[in-house]
Amino acid sequence: MDNRDIILGIDSGTSVVKAVAFDLEGQQLGCASVRNTYQRGEDGSALQSMERTWQDCVSAIRHLADEIENLSSRVVALAVTAQGDGTWLVGKDNRPVGDAWIWLDARAAETVKEREHSALSRQRFEATGTGLNTCQQGAQLAYMNGKNSPHRQQLEQAEVAMHCKDWLYLNLTGVRATDPSEASFTFGNFRHRGYEDVVIEALGLSDRRYLLPEIVEGTQVTHPLTAEAGKAIGLLAGTPVCLGYVDMVMTGLGAGVHTGDKNTACSIIGSTGVHMRSVHSSEVFLNQQQTGYVITLPLPHQVTQVQTNMASTLNLDWLLNMTLSLIEEFGGTADHATLVKHLDKWLATTHPDGLMYHPYISLAGERGPFVNADARASFIGLRYSHGYADLLRAVIEGIGMASRDCYQAMSDLSPRELRLSGGAVRSAKVRQILSACIGAPVRVSTRDEAGAAGAAMMAAVAIGAYPNMDSCVATWVTPLLNAAEAPPSELAEHYRRLFATYQQTRLTLPPVWTELQSIHKGVNNE
Protein backbone atom coordinates (compact mmCIF):
# COMPACT_ATOMS: atom_id res chain seq x y z
CA MET A 1 0.00 0.00 0.00
CA ASP A 2 3.14 2.25 -0.43
CA ASN A 3 3.12 5.42 1.68
CA ARG A 4 -0.61 6.20 1.52
CA ASP A 5 -2.05 6.27 5.01
CA ILE A 6 -5.63 7.63 4.86
CA ILE A 7 -9.00 5.99 4.25
CA LEU A 8 -11.65 8.54 3.38
CA GLY A 9 -15.22 7.80 4.47
CA ILE A 10 -18.22 9.62 3.01
CA ASP A 11 -21.51 9.65 4.92
CA SER A 12 -24.33 11.45 3.12
CA GLY A 13 -27.13 11.80 5.65
CA THR A 14 -30.51 13.48 5.56
CA SER A 15 -29.17 16.72 7.00
CA VAL A 16 -25.42 16.73 6.37
CA VAL A 17 -22.89 15.27 3.92
CA LYS A 18 -19.64 14.43 5.70
CA ALA A 19 -16.17 13.54 4.46
CA VAL A 20 -14.03 12.00 7.19
CA ALA A 21 -10.36 10.98 7.11
CA PHE A 22 -9.10 8.01 9.16
CA ASP A 23 -5.65 6.49 9.48
CA LEU A 24 -5.29 2.74 9.02
CA GLU A 25 -5.71 2.15 12.77
CA GLY A 26 -9.05 3.95 12.80
CA GLN A 27 -8.00 7.25 14.34
CA GLN A 28 -10.01 10.17 12.97
CA LEU A 29 -7.74 12.75 11.37
CA GLY A 30 -10.26 15.29 10.15
CA CYS A 31 -13.85 15.90 9.12
CA ALA A 32 -15.57 18.34 6.78
CA SER A 33 -19.30 18.69 6.20
CA VAL A 34 -21.83 20.44 3.98
CA ARG A 35 -25.47 20.99 4.91
CA ASN A 36 -27.93 18.95 2.89
CA THR A 37 -31.26 20.21 1.59
CA TYR A 38 -34.58 18.61 0.67
CA GLN A 39 -38.09 19.90 0.01
CA ARG A 40 -41.33 18.83 1.70
CA GLY A 41 -44.75 19.07 0.06
CA GLU A 42 -48.30 19.12 1.41
CA ASP A 43 -48.93 15.91 -0.56
CA GLY A 44 -46.46 14.09 1.69
CA SER A 45 -43.57 14.34 -0.76
CA ALA A 46 -39.96 14.69 0.36
CA LEU A 47 -37.62 15.36 -2.55
CA GLN A 48 -33.87 15.85 -2.82
CA SER A 49 -31.87 17.06 -5.80
CA MET A 50 -29.57 14.31 -6.99
CA GLU A 51 -27.20 16.71 -8.73
CA ARG A 52 -27.01 18.89 -5.63
CA THR A 53 -26.28 15.85 -3.47
CA TRP A 54 -23.30 14.93 -5.66
CA GLN A 55 -22.04 18.51 -5.63
CA ASP A 56 -22.38 18.62 -1.84
CA CYS A 57 -20.29 15.45 -1.65
CA VAL A 58 -17.65 17.05 -3.88
CA SER A 59 -17.64 20.17 -1.70
CA ALA A 60 -17.24 18.17 1.52
CA ILE A 61 -14.20 16.32 0.15
CA ARG A 62 -12.71 19.58 -1.16
CA HIS A 63 -13.18 21.17 2.28
CA LEU A 64 -11.46 18.18 3.89
CA ALA A 65 -8.50 18.70 1.56
CA ASP A 66 -8.17 22.24 2.94
CA GLU A 67 -7.86 20.75 6.42
CA ILE A 68 -5.51 17.82 5.77
CA GLU A 69 -2.14 18.36 4.13
CA ASN A 70 -1.46 16.37 0.96
CA LEU A 71 -4.80 14.58 1.16
CA SER A 72 -4.86 13.65 -2.53
CA SER A 73 -1.57 11.75 -2.36
CA ARG A 74 -2.30 10.11 0.99
CA VAL A 75 -5.74 8.50 0.34
CA VAL A 76 -5.36 4.76 -0.15
CA ALA A 77 -9.10 4.09 -0.46
CA LEU A 78 -12.45 5.84 -0.46
CA ALA A 79 -15.70 4.42 1.00
CA VAL A 80 -19.26 5.71 0.78
CA THR A 81 -22.42 5.24 2.82
CA ALA A 82 -25.60 7.31 2.96
CA GLN A 83 -29.18 7.65 4.15
CA GLY A 84 -31.23 4.54 3.50
CA ASP A 85 -34.46 3.72 1.69
CA GLY A 86 -35.86 6.23 -0.83
CA THR A 87 -35.75 6.08 -4.62
CA TRP A 88 -33.00 7.64 -6.75
CA LEU A 89 -33.89 7.02 -10.39
CA VAL A 90 -31.18 7.16 -13.03
CA GLY A 91 -31.75 7.16 -16.78
CA LYS A 92 -29.87 7.65 -20.03
CA ASP A 93 -26.21 8.65 -19.76
CA ASN A 94 -26.38 8.11 -15.99
CA ARG A 95 -28.43 11.27 -15.54
CA PRO A 96 -31.06 11.69 -12.80
CA VAL A 97 -34.69 11.15 -13.68
CA GLY A 98 -36.17 13.96 -11.60
CA ASP A 99 -35.44 14.53 -7.93
CA ALA A 100 -34.91 11.64 -5.54
CA TRP A 101 -37.74 10.50 -3.30
CA ILE A 102 -36.08 10.25 0.11
CA TRP A 103 -37.07 8.11 3.09
CA LEU A 104 -39.30 10.85 4.54
CA ASP A 105 -41.65 10.70 1.54
CA ALA A 106 -45.11 9.52 2.63
CA ARG A 107 -46.94 9.26 -0.70
CA ALA A 108 -46.86 5.47 -0.83
CA ALA A 109 -48.97 5.09 2.33
CA GLU A 110 -52.04 3.66 0.58
CA THR A 111 -49.88 1.33 -1.50
CA VAL A 112 -48.33 -0.04 1.70
CA LYS A 113 -51.79 -0.77 3.13
CA GLU A 114 -52.78 -2.59 -0.06
CA ARG A 115 -49.60 -4.65 -0.24
CA GLU A 116 -49.77 -5.57 3.44
CA HIS A 117 -52.98 -7.47 2.71
CA SER A 118 -51.78 -9.20 -0.44
CA ALA A 119 -51.51 -12.98 -0.65
CA LEU A 120 -47.71 -12.82 -0.80
CA SER A 121 -47.24 -10.36 2.07
CA ARG A 122 -46.02 -12.90 4.62
CA GLN A 123 -43.69 -14.56 2.10
CA ARG A 124 -42.18 -11.18 1.31
CA PHE A 125 -41.63 -10.58 5.04
CA GLU A 126 -40.19 -14.05 5.66
CA ALA A 127 -37.61 -13.46 2.91
CA THR A 128 -36.61 -9.90 3.69
CA GLY A 129 -37.24 -9.89 7.43
CA THR A 130 -38.45 -6.36 6.84
CA GLY A 131 -41.84 -4.75 7.29
CA LEU A 132 -43.12 -2.74 4.36
CA ASN A 133 -43.38 0.99 4.96
CA THR A 134 -43.60 4.26 3.05
CA CYS A 135 -39.87 4.92 3.40
CA GLN A 136 -38.78 2.02 1.25
CA GLN A 137 -37.91 1.96 -2.40
CA GLY A 138 -40.09 -1.12 -2.93
CA ALA A 139 -43.20 0.69 -1.69
CA GLN A 140 -42.34 3.88 -3.58
CA LEU A 141 -41.73 2.06 -6.86
CA ALA A 142 -44.97 0.09 -6.40
CA TYR A 143 -46.82 3.39 -5.96
CA MET A 144 -45.13 4.93 -9.02
CA ASN A 145 -45.95 1.81 -11.01
CA GLY A 146 -49.68 1.98 -10.26
CA LYS A 147 -51.97 2.10 -13.31
CA ASN A 148 -53.28 5.55 -12.45
CA SER A 149 -50.07 6.91 -10.95
CA PRO A 150 -49.00 10.36 -12.17
CA HIS A 151 -45.39 9.18 -11.86
CA ARG A 152 -45.43 6.27 -14.33
CA GLN A 153 -43.80 8.41 -17.00
CA GLN A 154 -40.92 9.18 -14.65
CA LEU A 155 -40.53 5.46 -14.06
CA GLU A 156 -40.58 4.76 -17.80
CA GLN A 157 -37.59 7.08 -18.27
CA ALA A 158 -35.51 5.28 -15.65
CA GLU A 159 -32.91 2.63 -16.44
CA VAL A 160 -31.92 1.82 -12.85
CA ALA A 161 -33.32 2.46 -9.36
CA MET A 162 -30.65 3.37 -6.85
CA HIS A 163 -30.24 4.55 -3.29
CA CYS A 164 -28.32 7.63 -2.18
CA LYS A 165 -24.97 5.89 -1.63
CA ASP A 166 -25.41 4.02 -4.92
CA TRP A 167 -25.87 7.34 -6.73
CA LEU A 168 -22.67 8.73 -5.19
CA TYR A 169 -20.83 5.49 -6.04
CA LEU A 170 -22.03 5.82 -9.64
CA ASN A 171 -20.62 9.35 -9.80
CA LEU A 172 -17.33 8.20 -8.29
CA THR A 173 -16.80 5.04 -10.35
CA GLY A 174 -19.24 5.01 -13.27
CA VAL A 175 -20.59 1.67 -11.97
CA ARG A 176 -24.31 1.04 -11.43
CA ALA A 177 -24.50 -1.09 -8.29
CA THR A 178 -26.06 -1.49 -4.88
CA ASP A 179 -24.92 -3.29 -1.73
CA PRO A 180 -26.21 -6.50 -0.08
CA SER A 181 -27.87 -4.69 2.82
CA GLU A 182 -30.36 -2.51 0.90
CA ALA A 183 -30.77 -5.09 -1.85
CA SER A 184 -31.84 -7.85 0.53
CA PHE A 185 -34.09 -5.92 2.89
CA THR A 186 -35.89 -4.24 0.00
CA PHE A 187 -36.06 -6.84 -2.78
CA GLY A 188 -34.25 -9.96 -1.58
CA ASN A 189 -33.44 -12.47 1.11
CA PHE A 190 -31.12 -11.74 4.05
CA ARG A 191 -30.01 -15.39 4.16
CA HIS A 192 -28.38 -15.50 0.71
CA ARG A 193 -28.07 -11.69 0.26
CA GLY A 194 -29.49 -11.68 -3.26
CA TYR A 195 -32.73 -10.75 -4.98
CA GLU A 196 -35.81 -12.93 -4.40
CA ASP A 197 -38.50 -13.41 -7.07
CA VAL A 198 -41.37 -13.72 -4.58
CA VAL A 199 -40.47 -10.38 -2.98
CA ILE A 200 -40.43 -8.56 -6.29
CA GLU A 201 -43.73 -10.22 -7.24
CA ALA A 202 -45.28 -9.32 -3.88
CA LEU A 203 -44.53 -5.66 -4.62
CA GLY A 204 -46.10 -5.91 -8.08
CA LEU A 205 -42.76 -5.06 -9.69
CA SER A 206 -41.93 -8.14 -11.76
CA ASP A 207 -42.20 -6.01 -14.89
CA ARG A 208 -39.70 -3.54 -13.40
CA ARG A 209 -37.02 -6.00 -12.34
CA TYR A 210 -34.69 -4.52 -14.95
CA LEU A 211 -34.40 -1.47 -12.67
CA LEU A 212 -32.54 -3.43 -9.97
CA PRO A 213 -28.76 -2.98 -10.17
CA GLU A 214 -25.92 -5.44 -9.64
CA ILE A 215 -25.18 -6.29 -5.99
CA VAL A 216 -21.57 -5.61 -4.94
CA GLU A 217 -19.94 -6.75 -1.68
CA GLY A 218 -17.69 -3.85 -0.74
CA THR A 219 -15.32 -5.80 1.50
CA GLN A 220 -14.37 -7.95 -1.50
CA VAL A 221 -14.89 -5.79 -4.60
CA THR A 222 -13.88 -2.19 -5.22
CA HIS A 223 -13.93 -0.08 -8.38
CA PRO A 224 -11.41 2.59 -9.35
CA LEU A 225 -12.14 6.30 -9.05
CA THR A 226 -12.71 7.67 -12.54
CA ALA A 227 -10.54 10.42 -13.99
CA GLU A 228 -13.54 12.75 -14.16
CA ALA A 229 -14.54 12.13 -10.55
CA GLY A 230 -10.92 12.37 -9.42
CA LYS A 231 -10.63 15.79 -11.00
CA ALA A 232 -13.88 16.91 -9.37
CA ILE A 233 -12.99 15.84 -5.82
CA GLY A 234 -9.23 16.37 -6.02
CA LEU A 235 -8.12 12.76 -5.53
CA LEU A 236 -6.01 10.48 -7.70
CA ALA A 237 -7.80 8.61 -10.47
CA GLY A 238 -7.68 4.87 -9.89
CA THR A 239 -8.03 5.11 -6.11
CA PRO A 240 -10.09 2.10 -4.94
CA VAL A 241 -13.68 3.02 -4.05
CA CYS A 242 -15.69 0.82 -1.68
CA LEU A 243 -19.48 0.74 -1.74
CA GLY A 244 -20.48 0.61 1.92
CA TYR A 245 -23.69 -0.74 3.38
CA VAL A 246 -26.62 1.50 4.34
CA ASP A 247 -25.80 4.16 6.94
CA MET A 248 -27.83 2.50 9.73
CA VAL A 249 -25.60 -0.55 9.95
CA MET A 250 -22.43 1.39 9.12
CA THR A 251 -23.12 3.61 12.12
CA GLY A 252 -23.97 0.56 14.21
CA LEU A 253 -20.74 -1.15 13.16
CA GLY A 254 -18.67 1.93 13.99
CA ALA A 255 -20.48 2.43 17.32
CA GLY A 256 -20.16 -1.14 18.58
CA VAL A 257 -23.21 -3.19 17.58
CA HIS A 258 -20.92 -6.13 16.81
CA THR A 259 -17.94 -6.68 19.12
CA GLY A 260 -18.42 -10.37 19.86
CA ASP A 261 -20.26 -9.75 23.16
CA LYS A 262 -23.53 -11.64 23.66
CA ASN A 263 -26.89 -9.86 23.78
CA THR A 264 -25.57 -6.35 23.25
CA ALA A 265 -27.47 -3.80 21.25
CA CYS A 266 -26.94 -0.41 19.67
CA SER A 267 -29.25 2.58 19.38
CA ILE A 268 -28.58 5.51 17.09
CA ILE A 269 -30.45 8.45 18.56
CA GLY A 270 -30.54 10.76 15.56
CA SER A 271 -33.29 12.45 13.56
CA THR A 272 -34.74 8.97 13.31
CA GLY A 273 -34.19 6.32 15.97
CA VAL A 274 -32.44 3.11 14.95
CA HIS A 275 -32.32 0.19 17.37
CA MET A 276 -30.39 -2.91 16.44
CA ARG A 277 -28.91 -6.16 17.67
CA SER A 278 -26.33 -8.28 15.89
CA VAL A 279 -27.33 -11.93 15.45
CA HIS A 280 -26.51 -14.91 13.26
CA SER A 281 -28.93 -15.08 10.32
CA SER A 282 -30.35 -18.32 11.73
CA GLU A 283 -31.31 -16.58 15.00
CA VAL A 284 -33.51 -13.84 13.54
CA PHE A 285 -36.86 -13.41 15.31
CA LEU A 286 -39.64 -12.51 12.86
CA ASN A 287 -42.62 -11.00 14.66
CA GLN A 288 -46.25 -11.58 13.71
CA GLN A 289 -46.84 -7.88 13.13
CA GLN A 290 -44.39 -7.94 10.19
CA THR A 291 -42.43 -4.89 11.32
CA GLY A 292 -38.78 -3.96 11.55
CA TYR A 293 -35.80 -4.62 9.32
CA VAL A 294 -33.23 -7.36 8.96
CA ILE A 295 -30.10 -5.73 7.55
CA THR A 296 -26.99 -7.69 6.72
CA LEU A 297 -23.61 -6.82 8.22
CA PRO A 298 -20.38 -7.06 6.22
CA LEU A 299 -19.57 -10.31 8.02
CA PRO A 300 -20.52 -13.83 6.84
CA HIS A 301 -23.98 -14.92 8.08
CA GLN A 302 -24.19 -11.98 10.49
CA VAL A 303 -27.14 -9.59 10.35
CA THR A 304 -28.64 -6.82 12.39
CA GLN A 305 -32.21 -7.14 13.53
CA VAL A 306 -33.51 -3.59 13.46
CA GLN A 307 -36.51 -1.57 14.51
CA THR A 308 -36.60 2.10 13.56
CA ASN A 309 -38.65 4.97 14.92
CA MET A 310 -39.60 7.38 12.15
CA ALA A 311 -38.76 10.27 14.47
CA SER A 312 -36.38 10.34 17.42
CA THR A 313 -34.57 13.64 18.00
CA LEU A 314 -36.92 15.19 15.42
CA ASN A 315 -39.27 15.39 18.42
CA LEU A 316 -36.69 17.30 20.42
CA ASP A 317 -35.95 19.53 17.43
CA TRP A 318 -39.66 20.35 17.18
CA LEU A 319 -39.77 21.57 20.78
CA LEU A 320 -36.47 23.46 20.60
CA ASN A 321 -37.41 25.08 17.29
CA MET A 322 -40.63 26.37 18.84
CA THR A 323 -38.55 27.80 21.65
CA LEU A 324 -36.24 29.54 19.17
CA SER A 325 -39.22 31.02 17.33
CA LEU A 326 -40.59 32.51 20.54
CA ILE A 327 -37.21 33.92 21.56
CA GLU A 328 -36.76 35.53 18.14
CA GLU A 329 -40.33 36.85 18.07
CA PHE A 330 -39.63 38.84 21.21
CA GLY A 331 -36.31 40.17 19.97
CA GLY A 332 -33.98 37.71 21.64
CA THR A 333 -31.15 35.75 20.06
CA ALA A 334 -30.27 32.08 20.42
CA ASP A 335 -29.49 29.07 18.26
CA HIS A 336 -30.15 25.37 18.33
CA ALA A 337 -26.68 24.51 19.68
CA THR A 338 -27.11 26.91 22.61
CA LEU A 339 -30.41 25.32 23.60
CA VAL A 340 -28.94 21.82 23.37
CA LYS A 341 -26.19 22.85 25.81
CA HIS A 342 -28.92 23.69 28.33
CA LEU A 343 -30.53 20.23 28.20
CA ASP A 344 -28.83 18.92 31.35
CA LYS A 345 -29.68 22.11 33.28
CA TRP A 346 -33.35 21.88 32.33
CA LEU A 347 -33.52 18.16 33.08
CA ALA A 348 -31.87 18.65 36.48
CA THR A 349 -34.91 20.71 37.57
CA THR A 350 -37.36 17.88 36.79
CA HIS A 351 -38.21 14.51 38.27
CA PRO A 352 -39.97 11.35 37.01
CA ASP A 353 -43.68 12.05 36.73
CA GLY A 354 -46.93 10.77 35.24
CA LEU A 355 -46.59 12.94 32.14
CA MET A 356 -46.24 10.85 28.97
CA TYR A 357 -45.35 11.67 25.37
CA HIS A 358 -45.73 9.51 22.27
CA PRO A 359 -42.97 10.62 19.86
CA TYR A 360 -44.73 10.19 16.50
CA ILE A 361 -44.02 13.72 15.23
CA SER A 362 -43.09 12.73 11.66
CA LEU A 363 -45.53 13.57 8.86
CA ALA A 364 -44.97 10.02 7.64
CA GLY A 365 -46.33 8.52 10.87
CA GLU A 366 -44.50 5.57 12.41
CA ARG A 367 -42.70 2.50 11.07
CA GLY A 368 -41.39 0.76 14.19
CA PRO A 369 -42.34 -1.31 16.02
CA PHE A 370 -45.64 -0.76 14.19
CA VAL A 371 -46.49 0.75 10.81
CA ASN A 372 -49.11 3.49 10.76
CA ALA A 373 -48.84 6.49 8.46
CA ASP A 374 -51.54 8.27 10.50
CA ALA A 375 -49.68 8.02 13.83
CA ARG A 376 -49.18 11.40 15.51
CA ALA A 377 -47.42 12.69 18.61
CA SER A 378 -49.26 13.57 21.80
CA PHE A 379 -48.80 14.51 25.43
CA ILE A 380 -50.96 12.62 27.93
CA GLY A 381 -51.29 13.59 31.58
CA LEU A 382 -50.61 17.34 31.34
CA ARG A 383 -51.28 19.33 34.50
CA TYR A 384 -51.32 23.06 35.17
CA SER A 385 -48.17 22.66 37.29
CA HIS A 386 -46.11 21.32 34.40
CA GLY A 387 -43.54 23.69 32.95
CA TYR A 388 -41.27 23.79 29.93
CA ALA A 389 -38.61 21.53 31.48
CA ASP A 390 -41.28 18.92 32.24
CA LEU A 391 -42.36 18.89 28.59
CA LEU A 392 -38.71 18.54 27.58
CA ARG A 393 -38.22 15.61 29.92
CA ALA A 394 -41.41 13.94 28.70
CA VAL A 395 -40.22 14.21 25.08
CA ILE A 396 -36.90 12.53 25.95
CA GLU A 397 -38.71 9.87 27.99
CA GLY A 398 -40.98 9.30 24.99
CA ILE A 399 -37.91 8.70 22.82
CA GLY A 400 -36.74 6.17 25.43
CA MET A 401 -40.14 4.46 25.61
CA ALA A 402 -40.27 4.15 21.82
CA SER A 403 -36.78 2.60 21.93
CA ARG A 404 -37.89 0.04 24.51
CA ASP A 405 -40.97 -0.69 22.41
CA CYS A 406 -38.67 -1.49 19.50
CA TYR A 407 -36.39 -3.82 21.46
CA GLN A 408 -39.36 -5.72 22.88
CA ALA A 409 -40.60 -6.35 19.32
CA MET A 410 -37.24 -7.94 18.43
CA SER A 411 -36.74 -10.31 21.32
CA ASP A 412 -38.15 -11.43 24.65
CA LEU A 413 -34.77 -10.62 26.18
CA SER A 414 -33.84 -7.07 27.11
CA PRO A 415 -30.36 -6.08 25.95
CA ARG A 416 -27.63 -6.92 28.45
CA GLU A 417 -25.87 -3.73 27.41
CA LEU A 418 -26.70 -0.90 25.04
CA ARG A 419 -24.22 1.08 22.93
CA LEU A 420 -25.43 4.59 22.11
CA SER A 421 -24.61 6.87 19.22
CA GLY A 422 -25.93 10.27 18.15
CA GLY A 423 -25.53 13.89 19.16
CA ALA A 424 -28.21 13.83 21.88
CA VAL A 425 -26.37 11.17 23.93
CA ARG A 426 -23.58 13.63 24.71
CA SER A 427 -25.93 14.71 27.51
CA ALA A 428 -25.38 12.70 30.71
CA LYS A 429 -29.00 13.24 31.76
CA VAL A 430 -30.30 12.05 28.38
CA ARG A 431 -28.13 8.92 28.62
CA GLN A 432 -29.46 8.21 32.11
CA ILE A 433 -33.09 8.55 31.01
CA LEU A 434 -32.56 6.35 27.95
CA SER A 435 -30.70 3.74 30.02
CA ALA A 436 -33.47 3.63 32.62
CA CYS A 437 -36.25 3.54 30.00
CA ILE A 438 -34.69 0.53 28.26
CA GLY A 439 -33.50 -1.08 31.49
CA ALA A 440 -29.89 -1.70 30.53
CA PRO A 441 -26.47 -0.14 31.15
CA VAL A 442 -25.25 2.07 28.31
CA ARG A 443 -21.86 2.67 26.76
CA VAL A 444 -20.94 5.46 24.40
CA SER A 445 -18.21 5.29 21.82
CA THR A 446 -15.74 8.16 21.75
CA ARG A 447 -15.83 7.92 17.97
CA ASP A 448 -17.33 11.08 16.50
CA GLU A 449 -18.31 9.85 13.04
CA ALA A 450 -19.42 6.25 13.39
CA GLY A 451 -21.19 6.02 10.01
CA ALA A 452 -18.20 7.13 7.98
CA ALA A 453 -16.02 4.89 10.16
CA GLY A 454 -18.15 1.83 9.41
CA ALA A 455 -17.77 2.43 5.67
CA ALA A 456 -14.05 3.08 6.03
CA MET A 457 -13.70 -0.21 7.94
CA MET A 458 -15.14 -2.02 4.92
CA ALA A 459 -12.55 -0.34 2.72
CA ALA A 460 -9.80 -1.29 5.17
CA VAL A 461 -10.75 -4.94 4.79
CA ALA A 462 -11.16 -4.62 1.01
CA ILE A 463 -7.60 -3.32 0.50
CA GLY A 464 -6.10 -5.96 2.81
CA ALA A 465 -5.21 -3.73 5.75
CA TYR A 466 -7.09 -6.27 7.91
CA PRO A 467 -7.74 -9.95 7.13
CA ASN A 468 -11.41 -9.75 8.15
CA MET A 469 -13.97 -7.47 9.76
CA ASP A 470 -13.62 -8.96 13.25
CA SER A 471 -9.96 -8.01 13.39
CA CYS A 472 -10.79 -4.52 12.15
CA VAL A 473 -13.49 -4.15 14.86
CA ALA A 474 -10.95 -5.13 17.52
CA THR A 475 -8.75 -2.19 16.50
CA TRP A 476 -11.24 0.42 15.27
CA VAL A 477 -14.19 -0.05 17.65
CA THR A 478 -13.69 -1.91 20.94
CA PRO A 479 -10.94 0.33 22.40
CA LEU A 480 -13.13 3.41 21.88
CA LEU A 481 -16.06 2.24 24.03
CA ASN A 482 -16.39 4.13 27.32
CA ALA A 483 -17.18 2.45 30.63
CA ALA A 484 -20.73 1.19 31.12
CA GLU A 485 -23.21 3.51 32.88
CA ALA A 486 -25.92 1.62 34.80
CA PRO A 487 -29.32 3.26 35.43
CA PRO A 488 -30.51 3.98 38.99
CA SER A 489 -32.70 1.04 39.99
CA GLU A 490 -35.60 3.22 41.22
CA LEU A 491 -35.64 5.16 37.96
CA ALA A 492 -35.59 1.95 35.92
CA GLU A 493 -38.52 0.62 37.96
CA HIS A 494 -40.49 3.85 37.42
CA TYR A 495 -40.05 3.59 33.65
CA ARG A 496 -40.89 -0.12 33.66
CA ARG A 497 -44.26 0.81 35.14
CA LEU A 498 -44.72 3.80 32.83
CA PHE A 499 -43.91 1.66 29.78
CA ALA A 500 -46.95 -0.56 30.38
CA THR A 501 -49.16 2.54 30.20
CA TYR A 502 -47.24 3.85 27.20
CA GLN A 503 -47.92 0.64 25.29
CA GLN A 504 -51.56 0.47 26.39
CA THR A 505 -52.28 3.99 25.14
CA ARG A 506 -50.45 3.62 21.83
CA LEU A 507 -52.53 0.49 21.14
CA THR A 508 -55.70 2.48 21.89
CA LEU A 509 -54.89 5.60 19.83
CA PRO A 510 -54.96 4.37 16.17
CA PRO A 511 -58.69 5.10 15.59
CA VAL A 512 -58.11 8.60 16.97
CA TRP A 513 -55.15 9.14 14.64
CA THR A 514 -57.21 7.98 11.66
CA GLU A 515 -60.05 10.37 12.46
CA LEU A 516 -57.70 13.29 13.07
CA GLN A 517 -55.96 12.63 9.76
CA SER A 518 -59.35 12.57 8.00
CA ILE A 519 -60.25 15.91 9.57
CA HIS A 520 -56.84 17.34 8.59
CA LYS A 521 -57.29 16.27 4.96
CA GLY A 522 -60.81 17.67 4.89
CA VAL A 523 -59.67 21.07 6.15
CA ASN A 524 -56.81 21.25 3.65
CA ASN A 525 -59.05 20.26 0.73
CA GLU A 526 -61.65 22.94 1.43
Side-chain angles (χ1 to χ4, degrees), residues 186-443:
T186 308
F187 296 112
N189 191 310
F190 65 84
R191 300 165 187 84
H192 59 66
R193 305 190 176 204
Y195 293 127
E196 190 81 74
D197 288 343
V198 70
V199 174
I200 299 168
E201 184 182 353
L203 293 167
L205 293 171
S206 296
D207 62 328
R208 301 292 185 182
R209 184 168 183 148
Y210 65 87
L211 291 172
L212 306 186
E214 173 192 6
I215 301 171
V216 170
E217 170 51 57
T219 59
Q220 300 172 11
V221 177
T222 63
H223 291 100
L225 183 67
T226 65
E228 181 181 2
K231 183 178 180 180
I233 65 177
L235 297 182
L236 298 177
T239 301
V241 183
C242 167
L243 178 58
Y245 283 23
V246 65
D247 63 349
M248 285 193 286
V249 290
M250 292 293 88
T251 301
L253 186 66
V257 71
H258 179 86
T259 54
D261 303 307
K262 281 288 186 182
N263 196 26
T264 56
C266 179
S267 283
I268 305 165
I269 309 299
S271 297
T272 186
V274 181
H275 315 288
M276 61 183 79
R277 48 195 288 266
S278 172
V279 298
H280 191 276
S281 59
S282 64
E283 298 173 346
V284 168
F285 172 76
L286 297 177
N287 61 46
Q288 287 302 309
Q289 294 76 28
Q290 297 185 190
T291 64
Y293 289 68
V294 173
I295 309 180
T296 57
L297 279 166
L299 297 102
H301 309 296
Q302 201 71 19
V303 302
T304 52
Q305 187 151 10
V306 185
Q307 286 280 350
T308 60
N309 307 125
M310 191 71 80
S312 187
T313 59
L314 279 178
N315 293 275
L316 186 58
D317 289 343
W318 161 77
L319 187 58
L320 295 180
N321 287 339
M322 276 206 305
T323 309
L324 284 176
S325 296
L326 285 171
I327 291 171
E328 292 168 359
E329 187 172 339
F330 287 94
T333 57
D335 57 32
H336 190 273
T338 301
L339 297 185
V340 168
K341 289 178 182 177
H342 278 74
L343 280 179
D344 279 354
K345 292 181 180 178
W346 278 318
L347 292 173
T349 68
T350 66
H351 61 273
D353 197 357
L355 179 60
M356 186 168 55
Y357 176 76
H358 288 86
Y360 314 134
I361 202 75
S362 170
L363 293 176
E366 187 53 281
R367 60 179 174 178
F370 63 93
V371 177
N372 189 327
D374 294 335
R376 292 297 179 264
S378 58
F379 286 101
I380 299 176
L382 272 171
R383 298 192 304 274
Y384 186 81
S385 58
H386 285 135
Y388 178 81
D390 297 303
L391 298 183
L392 188 71
R393 183 185 186 98
V395 167
I396 294 169
E397 289 174 342
I399 294 170
M401 291 289 152
S403 303
R404 181 171 183 149
D405 211 7
C406 284
Y407 281 115
Q408 185 168 297
M410 283 188 245
S411 172
D412 293 334
L413 293 174
S414 297
R416 183 184 62 82
E417 183 178 284
L418 182 66
R419 282 81 190 265
L420 291 176
S421 179
V425 302
R426 296 190 184 106
S427 161
K429 289 289 186 182
V430 169
R431 291 198 302 274
Q432 184 184 76
I433 290 172
L434 294 176
S435 174
C437 282
I438 295 168
V442 299
R443 297 177 78 182

Side-chain angles (χ1 to χ4, degrees), residues 414-526:
S414 297
R416 183 184 62 82
E417 183 178 284
L418 182 66
R419 282 81 190 265
L420 291 176
S421 179
V425 302
R426 296 190 184 106
S427 161
K429 289 289 186 182
V430 169
R431 291 198 302 274
Q432 184 184 76
I433 290 172
L434 294 176
S435 174
C437 282
I438 295 168
V442 299
R443 297 177 78 182
V444 179
S445 173
T446 58
R447 174 158 322 277
D448 290 332
E449 301 298 340
M457 289 166 67
M458 288 186 60
V461 173
I463 63 175
Y466 294 87
N468 53 50
M469 187 57 70
D470 284 325
S471 63
C472 190
V473 167
T475 300
W476 281 57
V477 178
T478 305
L480 300 184
L481 291 172
N482 283 337
E485 303 172 55
S489 57
E490 66 277 8
L491 190 62
E493 173 58 25
H494 170 80
Y495 288 139
R496 184 197 64 77
R497 182 180 176 189
L498 185 65
F499 178 68
T501 306
Y502 173 93
Q503 264 199 329
Q504 180 185 9
T505 48
R506 76 103 163 139
L507 290 170
T508 304
L509 284 169
V512 178
W513 295 332
T514 300
E515 180 61 21
L516 290 175
Q517 185 67 356
S518 176
I519 293 170
H520 169 75
K521 288 179 179 178
V523 169
N524 283 280
N525 289 333
E526 288 178 357

